[in-house]
Amino acid sequence: MSKPLWHAEGRDVDERAMRFMAGEDARLDAELLPFDIIATRAHVRGLGRIGALAGEDVDKLVRALDEIARDVESGGLVMSGTFEDGHSAIEAWLTDRLGEAGKRVHLGRSRNDQVLIATRLYCLDRIGRLRAAAVESGRAALRRARENEHTLMPGFTHLQRAVPSSVGLWMGSFAESFADDAELLALTASWMDASPLGVAAGYGVNLPLDRDGVAYELGLVRLHVNPMHAQATRGKLEHQALASAWQVMQTVRRLSWDLVLFATAEFGFVTLPDGATTGSSIMPNKRNPDLAELLRAAPSVVGGCMAELQQLLSLPSGYHRDLQGAKPPLIRGLRVAIDAVGLVPWLIDGLAFDAERMRGACDPAMLATDRAVELAAGGVAFRDAYKQVAESLGELADRDPAESLRARVSPGATADLRLDEIGARLDSFAG
Amino acid sequence: MSKPLWHAEGRDVDERAMRFMAGEDARLDAELLPFDIIATRAHVRGLGRIGALAGEDVDKLVRALDEIARDVESGGLVMSGTFEDGHSAIEAWLTDRLGEAGKRVHLGRSRNDQVLIATRLYCLDRIGRLRAAAVESGRAALRRARENEHTLMPGFTHLQRAVPSSVGLWMGSFAESFADDAELLALTASWMDASPLGVAAGYGVNLPLDRDGVAYELGLVRLHVNPMHAQATRGKLEHQALASAWQVMQTVRRLSWDLVLFATAEFGFVTLPDGATTGSSIMPNKRNPDLAELLRAAPSVVGGCMAELQQLLSLPSGYHRDLQGAKPPLIRGLRVAIDAVGLVPWLIDGLAFDAERMRGACDPAMLATDRAVELAAGGVAFRDAYKQVAESLGELADRDPAESLRARVSPGATADLRLDEIGARLDSFAG
Amino acid sequence: MSKPLWHAEGRDVDERAMRFMAGEDARLDAELLPFDIIATRAHVRGLGRIGALAGEDVDKLVRALDEIARDVESGGLVMSGTFEDGHSAIEAWLTDRLGEAGKRVHLGRSRNDQVLIATRLYCLDRIGRLRAAAVESGRAALRRARENEHTLMPGFTHLQRAVPSSVGLWMGSFAESFADDAELLALTASWMDASPLGVAAGYGVNLPLDRDGVAYELGLVRLHVNPMHAQATRGKLEHQALASAWQVMQTVRRLSWDLVLFATAEFGFVTLPDGATTGSSIMPNKRNPDLAELLRAAPSVVGGCMAELQQLLSLPSGYHRDLQGAKPPLIRGLRVAIDAVGLVPWLIDGLAFDAERMRGACDPAMLATDRAVELAAGGVAFRDAYKQVAESLGELADRDPAESLRARVSPGATADLRLDEIGARLDSFAG
Amino acid sequence: MSKPLWHAEGRDVDERAMRFMAGEDARLDAELLPFDIIATRAHVRGLGRIGALAGEDVDKLVRALDEIARDVESGGLVMSGTFEDGHSAIEAWLTDRLGEAGKRVHLGRSRNDQVLIATRLYCLDRIGRLRAAAVESGRAALRRARENEHTLMPGFTHLQRAVPSSVGLWMGSFAESFADDAELLALTASWMDASPLGVAAGYGVNLPLDRDGVAYELGLVRLHVNPMHAQATRGKLEHQALASAWQVMQTVRRLSWDLVLFATAEFGFVTLPDGATTGSSIMPNKRNPDLAELLRAAPSVVGGCMAELQQLLSLPSGYHRDLQGAKPPLIRGLRVAIDAVGLVPWLIDGLAFDAERMRGACDPAMLATDRAVELAAGGVAFRDAYKQVAESLGELADRDPAESLRARVSPGATADLRLDEIGARLDSFAG
């Protein structure tokens, strides 16, 4: 590993301790690296504007950073364990290309605010991706809702057959859930849309940094003004990023549970796409809903990451090395969420519904509520209507469950699903 | 306990099971009750508008509900264990007063959407209170920041003395942190500002309910349209309510840690108000910072509540009785948060700072960074500047730490704290 | 509230802060109180043995403590909010009865070790109860396994029908699971079977306390020797108590999931006892498995309590008031677990199995594995046997699923369930 | 990737889904692989004993497995992404070497019980390593306790100076804590010391497997008898493995907190070894306690892993693919714990104590408790003694804090640390 900046002869860090301290940094910093480069470029330009870097140096550094960004993207440059962290890698690569000038990028900032800004930009990027995946998932659900708007299926409460429902209502519920999730992701992004760059190690720096200009170049709408607070956002922003990701994963979990259940021999409402199932190594008769099961499992990762963060963050003000521990849960949680939600549109598109089986599961007794409401609307007290119907369930045999769908006219119910309204909301978070 | 609505002769629920199932419902429903009454009133009026209730009945019910609301507030009516839940209590009280008419309130809704709307209104109310408490806490911190804007104190990283800092910077950091927290609470409130009322048990109802009108009367800006989704928001909204509360508790935790640490004999920077400390039962020589310690502990409750929710919510679509388990963590978490944050302004106002002690802790070596930056700004590569300073720390003895505060002119730093900007942001979330 | 021991004129704790600091202490200390009294009696006798209390005083105190214990049990004395905590209550009651002598019980101990020992005894008692409930649950499952040893039912993997199984195998699995859980509870109890009493505030005391004798009287096998360590067990022991409780709750969760699923119309394998189900407030056609659902939900409480504890416990050595926060998750988690597991034997005893329905769900294709194993045992490579069977599933139609049960002769499998062995293991933890 | 066993033409799994499903399996299975090979060898021998494999085949397979084990250890064979999982890798390597015979190892078992046994052996191995590391950490603490048995230092409660204490007491507390942790790890190992091998996919198999003999060869003392239960231990055993690891990490956390705090300029009691500290990238004046901070952070990983597991495990009986999700938290949690605890002995050995500074921090007022106890032992009611001392703290100035250490004679206290007893207990868990 290259010598760290603060290296002093004769005071070497123990190698095993060094390895423990590095942890997964190299692997994780690879994800942050592109954002670190972008932020470094903006910092360099900002130093130029206040005269702390000569214009010529700024130009050379910006060009070199652009090259490095391209090389990192193409795989020509790789963040490896030979560097202490991503920041050191960038400085080393710059110094390779530009000599002395390469070392100037560190002026006026600390690794503390460097990791803050790289994490911020990374979060915003990933939250954007997750929002887009949530919108696409919602749109897939909406397509299926429209195709099967009035297809009968049982509505369950307590997993007991309750009232007739429709595939339109069921699939529509995921469309609206993903819309809510996309909205929260958007709100979360707006909440963290602030630049911490320029706070150095949490106490500011004796240079007239153009923090506002740098924020503007990075596309951030405001500053995290107070340096100690900017420092203390570490972990806090990560928590809300994960809390938002948890929401969309929760929608995925409900969907996965439904699919696993409805794909059993006993329910038999749904067939999953072949590409989402696997065989058994010992039982040749089976196809297993592995993908749905793993999607159902995935929210646990996000939840575990939140718990990890929460336990980490019992600390006084100021930077502590503990905060490095905020990186793994953030990156792990967001990666799992993006991968999981990214598979959902394809999965939903590939579902086959067994309309006959679902209709067959709509017992006449499921029309009891309709009848009780009719009686109650006609003036019978609901409690009495309820008893009256409970005592004469047999009389419901003649009612058509499809009629029940048509009778549920309250907004959002089976006769008025308002899919366009949900679709418009999804569109509004697509951006 | 009064017989439940669904009671059938000879099929009584086992008493011990009943007790287990009731859990803490009676105690918790007492907190939800006022909101349940408000929602019931809006529901009754909505039934009136679609002709499902006679105008006369509507008037009687609304008047009775207003009375009940007053009696509940005054303590004249108490939600007790004799009722299965808050919903049953309201119906029983109405029937006591109005006979048959009292039973009509249940028309067109289910306990499912009744608890959804009561929880929604409760959440919005409590999030509002918590936001107000966060703003007041931020304002208190701002007051202290202004009073002590340039009071020297050490800035720490890794709990090691790093650079000179100021009470203004320190206290200002809490002001901005509380502003961020208040913003997230406001965003969370806007996210859940939607009415689930009118979805019955999650599949709609065969009545032309005026859901939009009811939402409007309740002050909610939109509908949760899809009944299955509205049902599935249970737990999800609670999670984000708690995630927002966690943020403000995290700010409180950092503050508490600082206070406990700075109140030690070894640091000695701060004296806590007498009213926030206790004595020892065995050591007559001590005053202990119990309140700060308990504030430091309180975020764990909110975090634990989130973990509890997350573990609960692995379920297929549709209502399950498990979801009753979302109530205790929500109510417990928000109550602890509101109580804790409510004490913060008073605690901050009562802090006494020991300016002399803090100034004495500002070692000359803490001016090394300033010097390194000066050299680097003058053209020396930062790495070289760093080494040069590290080798001549003794030369820093003549520098005045107060000068260091004045030199840190970058936005937000000690010479430009931008307290007014933070104050304006706090004001914008006060409403 | 009575004035605390450390009360000093003019330095009153703020009332709102006092209320926040008291938290739920009064309610929780009521559960610890009987153990606090027992420990106090042992402490008093110990003081007598070293001559720090006169024999006469010892006798009076012991008699008074016995009376108080009886009065607390009968409800004649109640731990109320007028006392700061349970310790103060005991001292006050003693002083009421004995005057000056009552105050002597505090000699040589601190509230710190007083709460440690009370919590220890409480934990051991509750873990014992939970162990007994786990054993009874396992025995109930074993009874049903024996009654239905060879009753056919499908075995599922991925919730897909896999191979024929039996009620004996299914119920037997819970018997062995509860045995494992009981064993862990027993191991946990043995792990914490040590007395912390006599460590005062964590640094020992200048008296020759007979710690070993006191431990012996309390039925504890060893000491937590080191006072700082004894202090630091707070939270640690609670965590393992909850981790053990989590195990038995996890068994309950799997059982509950099975019951909810098998009680659906679609599976129809099981009918729950009427006393464990409820009706719907809006759908007169339904019986809902509420108890099973709430048992499925209950493990979340224990998990949440562990997360709460974990987040609390990031502290330096020595007592901190934060540790008071270890009480609520401990007591809440254990109470829920004991209540939940206590209902399981009754629930299992009341299950009705639909043998015909279960047999009907055993498809011929589920015999494919048997056939593949036969081929493989006859020398065909398993991979090839697997393919051969997969291509001729139709040939399995003639096989009798009951034959499959008889053929699975490996230890523990359907033909050799070893229920007696499991029963013996349960007995060994019944203690 | 090689075609999976259950591969069927035209029903390929979608590639992106496949990648998501594989997750980190290849990387994680590399850790399990050695144990999978050992278990496979025992399984093969067992098949030989019941005549399901020819003796010749057994010999060839055992030899090949031994070679593979060596090649895996030497790095000659690598578990890579070209295999679906470790099980497929072993089968492929065997088939490469032995042709048809290689395929026979799959007879009579499923990937389900294969992963169960590999995980079991892995857990036992890692728990053993962690126990050894805990014992070594305890011994290091004990060495320092002995070297500095009577070195004065302040004892803190609420981080306030309370009573004089000693380095012997402080370091001894970690020795006993690590002994408790080692004991729990040993108990946990004994709890899970049971073989699940031979349960196939959770319903047994139609072969007379010699499960007991296989267990014996693997060094396991008993069977998990019931196949469904054996299957259901997935996640449960992992949870207790992590719960035990959490305990030792919690001891490490308390130690780390003490070190970070005592290494501040303000306390100044301890200097950390150079090899455990780093410099600052911007502040040349500092040495930071990074290792102690990262050790303080590491318990969060274990806690997060437990939360992840808890959230995963809400499932009916039988294998579900979700359970694959139990691997990452188990392996991640144990790896972090082993790495962290492994560094502790070295860290403790390298601590330098500043005896003068610590003695200087022992205020005379800290002798108040001693005085109050003396008065109380002399017959004054403790409450009165307390008040009397509180009002005359000045009189304590003449007392020698070292005398206070000598006066605390109760077992475990400063005058009777019982280090040998703690050492003996550590030894008993060293094995």
Side-chain angles (χ1 to χ4, degrees), chain A residues 154 156-163 257 260-261 263-267 269 278-290 293 296 307 310-311 314 361 363 365-366 368-369 372-373 382 386 389-390 393, chain C residues 154 156-163 257 260-261 263-267 269 278-290 293 296 307 310-311 314 361 363 365-366 368-369 372-373 382 386 389-390 393:
Chain A
F156 298 89
T157 65
H158 304 261
L159 283 190
Q160 296 290 312
R161 292 176 183 172
V163 292
W257 254 119
V260 170
L261 194 65
T264 58
E266 287 71 16
F267 280 82
F269 296 169
T278 65
S280 155
S281 71
I282 191 172
M283 292 167 291
N285 53 310
K286 294 184 54 224
R287 295 292 295 176
N288 298 321
D290 291 61
E293 291 172 293
R296 180 174 63 185
Q310 288 167 358
Q311 298 181 31
S314 183
D363 291 335
M366 295 163 75
T369 310
V373 171
F382 189 78
Y386 179 93
V389 177
L393 290 174
Chain C
F156 298 90
T157 66
H158 304 261
L159 284 190
Q160 295 290 310
R161 292 175 183 174
V163 293
W257 253 118
V260 169
L261 195 64
T264 58
E266 288 71 18
F267 280 81
F269 296 170
T278 65
S280 157
S281 71
I282 190 173
M283 292 168 290
N285 53 309
K286 293 179 60 218
R287 293 293 295 179
N288 298 320
D290 291 60
E293 292 172 291
R296 180 175 63 185
Q310 288 169 358
Q311 298 181 31
S314 183
D363 290 334
M366 294 163 75
T369 309
V373 170
F382 189 78
Y386 179 94
V389 176
L393 290 174

Side-chain angles (χ1 to χ4, degrees), chain A residues 24-34 79 85-87 327:
Chain A
E24 309 174 282
D25 259 13
R27 199 164 60 84
L28 299 173
D29 277 14
E31 298 222 26
L32 297 179
L33 197 58
M79 170 66 214
D85 52 28
H87 323 317
K327 257 196 252 176

Side-chain angles (χ1 to χ4, degrees), chain C residues 32 69-70 83 134 160 220 227 246 255 371 379 393 421:
Chain C
L32 298 179
R70 276 194 300 273
F83 302 108
Q160 295 290 310
L220 299 168
W246 182 86
L255 171 66
R371 181 69 192 131
L393 290 174
E421 197 176 318

Side-chain angles (χ1 to χ4, degrees), chain A residues 27-325:
Chain A
R27 199 164 60 84
L28 299 173
D29 277 14
E31 298 222 26
L32 297 179
L33 197 58
F35 304 99
D36 202 346
I37 296 169
I38 290 170
T40 299
R41 197 176 51 195
H43 177 66
V44 162
R45 283 211 183 99
L47 289 178
R49 283 196 296 279
I50 62 167
L53 266 182
E56 193 187 0
D57 280 353
V58 170
D59 291 345
K60 280 196 293 188
L61 283 162
V62 167
R63 265 197 306 273
L65 285 163
D66 286 342
E67 279 171 36
I68 288 169
R70 276 193 302 274
D71 291 353
V72 163
E73 206 189 332
S74 71
L77 279 177
V78 175
M79 170 66 214
S80 73
T82 58
F83 301 108
E84 193 192 2
D85 52 28
H87 323 317
S88 309
I90 294 173
E91 194 185 324
W93 291 330
L94 283 176
T95 312
D96 279 356
R97 284 161 207 232
L98 305 177
E100 277 304 298
K103 298 185 186 170
R104 300 230 166 94
V105 297
H106 210 58
L107 175 62
R109 68 174 181 174
S110 151
R111 276 185 296 182
N112 290 17
D113 63 342
Q114 200 171 348
V115 72
L116 275 172
I117 185 65
T119 307
R120 190 72 49 100
L121 296 173
Y122 162 84
C123 271
L124 286 167
D125 177 81
R126 293 310 197 259
I127 288 173
R129 289 192 201 191
L130 195 49
R131 181 176 44 70
V135 167
E136 285 314 313
S137 299
R139 283 170 170 168
L142 203 62
R143 277 194 293 278
R144 304 313 304 274
R146 283 181 169 131
E147 287 166 20
N148 303 274
E149 188 170 346
H150 303 298
T151 307
L152 268 169
M153 70 182 295
F156 298 89
T157 65
H158 304 261
L159 283 190
Q160 296 290 312
R161 292 176 183 172
V163 292
S165 181
S166 65
V167 174
L169 180 60
W170 177 45
M171 280 289 126
S173 79
F174 294 108
E176 191 175 7
S177 195
F178 282 120
D180 273 9
D181 301 335
E183 181 177 4
L184 184 61
L185 287 159
L187 293 172
T188 294
S190 80
W191 181 63
M192 63 173 66
D193 193 358
S195 175
L197 197 53
V199 304
Y203 301 97
V205 68
N206 51 341
L207 286 175
L209 295 176
D210 176 19
R211 292 189 62 200
D212 292 299
V214 170
Y216 180 82
E217 179 173 345
L218 292 172
L220 299 169
V221 300
R222 60 186 182 89
L223 294 186
H224 265 136
V225 170
N226 181 290
M228 286 185 82
H229 170 56
Q231 189 54 51
T233 60
R234 264 198 100 174
K236 275 172 69 88
L237 299 208
E238 286 85 338
H239 190 272
Q240 180 54 25
L242 289 169
S244 312
W246 182 86
Q247 290 287 345
V248 61
M249 293 305 279
Q250 186 56 25
T251 302
V252 171
R253 174 166 264 185
R254 175 166 70 91
L255 172 65
S256 312
W257 254 119
D258 284 359
L259 296 182
V260 170
L261 194 65
F262 291 171
T264 58
E266 287 71 16
F267 280 82
F269 296 169
V270 164
T271 308
L272 303 175
D274 270 358
T277 62
T278 65
S280 155
S281 71
I282 191 172
M283 292 167 291
N285 53 310
K286 294 184 54 224
R287 295 292 295 176
N288 298 321
D290 291 61
L291 180 60
E293 291 172 293
L294 288 168
L295 290 176
R296 180 174 63 185
S300 306
V301 178
V302 180
C305 289
M306 293 180 73
E308 185 176 336
L309 257 185
Q310 288 167 358
Q311 298 181 31
L312 188 72
L313 294 172
S314 183
L315 294 164
S317 288
Y319 176 77
H320 311 271
R321 183 68 180 262
D322 314 56
L323 294 169
Q324 175 181 309

Side-chain angles (χ1 to χ4, degrees), chain B residues 157-162 257 261 263-264 266 280-283 285-286 288 293 310-311 365 369 382 386, chain D residues 157-162 257 261 263-264 266-267 280-283 285-286 288 293 310-311 365 369 382 386:
Chain B
T157 65
H158 305 261
L159 284 190
Q160 295 291 311
R161 292 176 182 173
W257 254 118
L261 194 64
T264 58
E266 288 72 16
S280 155
S281 69
I282 190 172
M283 292 167 290
N285 53 311
K286 292 179 61 217
N288 299 321
E293 292 172 293
Q310 288 168 359
Q311 298 182 29
T369 309
F382 189 78
Y386 179 95
Chain D
T157 65
H158 306 260
L159 285 189
Q160 295 290 311
R161 292 176 182 173
W257 253 118
L261 195 64
T264 58
E266 286 72 16
F267 280 81
S280 155
S281 71
I282 191 172
M283 293 167 290
N285 53 309
K286 293 181 56 220
N288 299 320
E293 292 173 292
Q310 288 168 358
Q311 298 181 29
T369 310
F382 190 78
Y386 180 94

Side-chain angles (χ1 to χ4, degrees), chain D residues 1-307:
Chain D
M1 197 181 287
S2 67
K3 294 251 181 286
L5 180 57
W6 42 265
H7 175 260
E9 281 319 312
R11 304 187 71 178
D12 286 330
V13 174
D14 176 81
E15 211 178 307
R16 203 157 60 122
M18 199 63 164
R19 225 176 313 123
F20 180 73
M21 293 197 287
E24 309 175 281
D25 259 13
R27 199 164 61 84
L28 299 173
D29 277 13
E31 299 224 24
L32 298 178
L33 197 57
F35 304 101
D36 203 346
I37 295 169
I38 290 169
T40 299
R41 198 175 51 195
H43 177 65
V44 162
R45 283 212 182 98
L47 288 178
R49 282 196 298 279
I50 62 166
L53 266 184
E56 190 187 4
D57 280 352
V58 170
D59 290 346
K60 280 197 294 188
L61 283 162
V62 166
R63 267 197 305 273
L65 285 163
D66 285 342
E67 279 171 36
I68 288 170
R70 278 194 300 273
D71 291 353
V72 163
E73 206 188 335
S74 70
L77 279 177
V78 175
M79 171 64 215
S80 74
T82 61
F83 301 108
E84 194 192 3
D85 51 29
H87 322 318
S88 309
I90 294 173
E91 194 187 324
W93 291 330
L94 284 175
T95 312
D96 279 355
R97 283 160 210 236
L98 306 177
E100 276 305 297
K103 297 184 185 171
R104 299 231 167 94
V105 297
H106 209 57
L107 176 62
R109 68 174 182 174
S110 151
R111 276 183 297 182
N112 291 16
D113 62 342
Q114 200 171 351
V115 72
L116 276 171
I117 185 64
T119 307
R120 190 73 47 101
L121 297 173
Y122 162 86
C123 270
L124 287 167
D125 177 82
R126 293 308 196 263
I127 288 172
R129 290 193 200 190
L130 196 49
R131 182 177 42 70
V135 167
E136 285 315 312
S137 299
R139 285 168 169 170
L142 204 62
R143 278 193 293 279
R144 307 311 306 273
R146 283 179 169 133
E147 288 166 18
N148 302 275
E149 189 170 346
H150 303 298
T151 308
L152 265 169
M153 70 182 295
F156 298 90
T157 65
H158 306 260
L159 285 189
Q160 295 290 311
R161 292 176 182 173
V163 293
S165 179
S166 65
V167 174
L169 180 62
W170 176 46
M171 280 288 127
S173 79
F174 295 108
E176 191 176 8
S177 195
F178 282 119
D180 273 8
D181 301 335
E183 181 177 7
L184 184 61
L185 286 159
L187 293 172
T188 293
S190 80
W191 181 64
M192 62 172 68
D193 192 356
S195 174
L197 196 53
V199 305
Y203 301 96
V205 69
N206 50 341
L207 287 173
L209 295 176
D210 176 19
R211 293 189 61 200
D212 292 299
V214 170
Y216 181 80
E217 178 172 345
L218 292 172
L220 299 168
V221 300
R222 58 184 183 93
L223 294 187
H224 265 137
V225 171
N226 182 288
M228 286 184 81
H229 170 55
Q231 190 54 52
T233 59
R234 265 199 98 172
K236 276 172 68 88
L237 299 207
E238 287 86 338
H239 191 271
Q240 180 53 26
L242 290 170
S244 312
W246 182 86
Q247 290 287 344
V248 60
M249 293 306 278
Q250 186 55 25
T251 303
V252 171
R253 175 167 263 184
R254 175 165 70 91
L255 171 66
S256 312
W257 253 118
D258 284 0
L259 296 182
V260 170
L261 195 64
F262 291 170
T264 58
E266 286 72 16
F267 280 81
F269 296 170
V270 164
T271 307
L272 303 175
D274 271 358
T277 62
T278 66
S280 155
S281 71
I282 191 172
M283 293 167 290
N285 53 309
K286 293 181 56 220
R287 293 293 294 177
N288 299 320
D290 290 61
L291 180 60
E293 292 173 292
L294 287 168
L295 291 175
R296 180 175 62 184
S300 307
V301 177
V302 180
C305 288
M306 293 182 73

